[in-house]
Amino acid sequence: MDSLDDIAELLRAARALLGIRQDQLAERARVSRQMVARIESGGKGVTFETIEKVRAALEREGVEFFPGTAANGPAIARRKVERKPRTQSK
């Protein structure tokens, strides 16, 4: 299992990958901005349920989480969004 510091770093990196602020992530996760800041700093008083709300919000925005291996730590990536071809309006 990853340490709270590893989880905090991964969630902070995921938010940065999306280019969103803490308050925007908090709104999407339905938690307070202070709670997002506390999670990202590895602070105390953070429940598993709250971390999962934040993680789920990031996943809805297109972030994928990958578990660590013996050689590498956990990782994130952004799902490729398939765009529909534009139609020209007349």
Side-chain angles (χ1 to χ4, degrees), residues 12-73:
R12 189 172 45 251
R15 181 177 60 78
L17 181 64
L18 293 174
I20 60 174
R21 299 182 314 267
Q22 286 181 342
D23 62 311
Q24 293 171 312
L25 176 55
E27 184 177 321
R28 292 168 185 163
R30 298 181 185 211
V31 300
S32 69
R33 189 209 53 80
Q34 292 84 355
M35 185 56 70
V36 171
R38 190 180 304 165
I39 291 168
E40 290 186 357
S41 67
K44 297 184 182 199
V46 177
T47 66
F48 178 77
E49 178 184 1
T50 304
I51 291 171
E52 282 302 305
K53 284 182 178 181
V54 172
R55 179 184 171 126
L58 291 164
E59 288 176 335
R60 285 191 301 273
E61 296 295 320
V63 173
E64 290 192 47
F65 292 87
F66 300 95
T69 65
N72 300 304

